[in-house]
Amino acid sequence: MSPLDKLTAYFEKFPGVGARQAKRFAFHILTLRPEQTHDLANLINGLANSVVECSSCRRFFPAQAQGERLCSICDSTQRDRTKLLVVARDNDITAIERSGVYDGLYFVLGGTIPLLTNNDTTLRLRTPALKAVVNERLPQGLSEIIFGFAVNPDGENTTRYVESAIKELPGAEDLKMSALGRGLSTGSELEYADGETIKSALKNRS
Ligand SMILES: [Zn+2]
């Protein structure tokens, strides 16, 4: 495989990028000036060291201090610790925070679990880590879990799967569990929803 084909193959794995677009990206890189490609390569190389994965919600955040483990949301005393909103990706949190209508905590599952793959353990994403977080928070007053996955078969499958996994925990019987309301249209993703839509989806959780 030539370096150009290899690069194209990398781009093809990016979310939402098809084969043709991946090729366009690779060719675009060929048009950059040497200092630009150098800068881009350095940025990619240094990215892992400039961000930290929050030890609680698992989202990535720019680390300000050495050894910092909690993001500003998990670390805040202003957040409602009785609520936990489980989302697929970091970007979903960005969209909800932008809308300013949610004051609880989050957990990033890392994706959705495709329908008919529940027995494939590699596709359980961070479900075990989520269970550990819920287990730890239950005695601290956690009372509600909200699932904020896309309104499509995979999103609904993920909600069902994660919900039943949490129900296995001792003490989870009294947990209120809901999914974001149908204010979100079918197939829609939180990441692209506007503030009003997120607000009504949260209000209409069921
Ligand atoms: Zn966090």
Side-chain angles (χ1 to χ4, degrees):
M1 217 189 223
S2 74
L4 189 64
D5 288 341
K6 254 185 175 167
L7 187 61
T8 306
Y10 264 110
F11 284 135
E12 236 183 289
K13 292 200 185 94
F14 283 17
V17 175
R20 236 172 54 187
Q21 208 175 6
K23 205 161 257 168
R24 281 168 62 194
F25 285 179
F27 277 102
H28 174 72
I29 291 198
L30 287 178
T31 70
L32 298 177
R33 293 194 306 273
E35 63 270 27
Q36 288 176 307
T37 50
H38 191 74
D39 194 33
L40 179 63
N42 278 342
L43 272 172
I44 295 172
N45 280 329
L47 201 58
N49 294 326
S50 68
V51 293
V52 181
E53 189 184 273
C54 176
S55 63
S56 182
C57 71
R58 303 306 186 94
R59 78 184 177 115
F60 291 102
F61 67 100
Q64 311 286 348
Q66 194 76 31
E68 199 174 8
R69 304 273 329 269
L70 283 179
C71 75
S72 57
I73 297 175
C74 294
D75 201 30
S76 166
T77 53
Q78 308 296 316
R79 310 291 300 207
D80 180 354
R81 290 175 182 270
T82 66
K83 286 185 291 198
L84 186 69
L85 175 49
V86 186
V87 294
R89 308 227 170 259
D90 283 45
N91 282 346
D92 299 326
I93 297 184
T94 313
I96 299 166
E97 286 298 294
R98 213 188 301 123
S99 77
V101 294
Y102 178 72
D103 65 349
L105 298 178
Y106 296 96
F107 186 88
V108 182
L109 192 67
T112 50
I113 302 165
L115 205 58
L116 307 176
T117 53
N118 286 356
N119 294 326
D120 185 343
T121 51
T122 59
L123 292 162
R124 287 175 194 171
L125 308 165
R126 295 187 185 128
T127 305
L130 171 63
K131 280 174 85 172
V133 164
V134 172
N135 201 28
E136 188 188 309
R137 296 251 178 86
L138 271 172
Q140 299 165 11
L142 175 68
S143 63
E144 180 175 9
I145 297 179
I146 307 158
F147 299 107
F149 302 117
V151 185
N152 59 32
D154 288 351
E156 280 150 21
N157 180 57
T158 310
T159 297
R160 275 194 302 272
Y161 179 80
V162 177
E163 190 175 2
S164 62
I166 290 172
K167 275 185 182 153
E168 291 168 2
L169 288 169
E173 311 81 41
D174 298 329
L175 261 183
K176 194 171 145 199
M177 290 199 256
S178 61
L180 284 190
R182 305 291 99 156
L184 288 167
S185 57
T186 305
S188 70
E189 310 221 4
L190 264 182
E191 186 183 342
Y192 305 111
D194 60 74
E196 272 312 304
T197 309
I198 291 175
K199 199 170 164 180
S200 80
L202 256 171
K203 219 173 94 189
N204 300 318
R205 60 186 187 261
S206 53

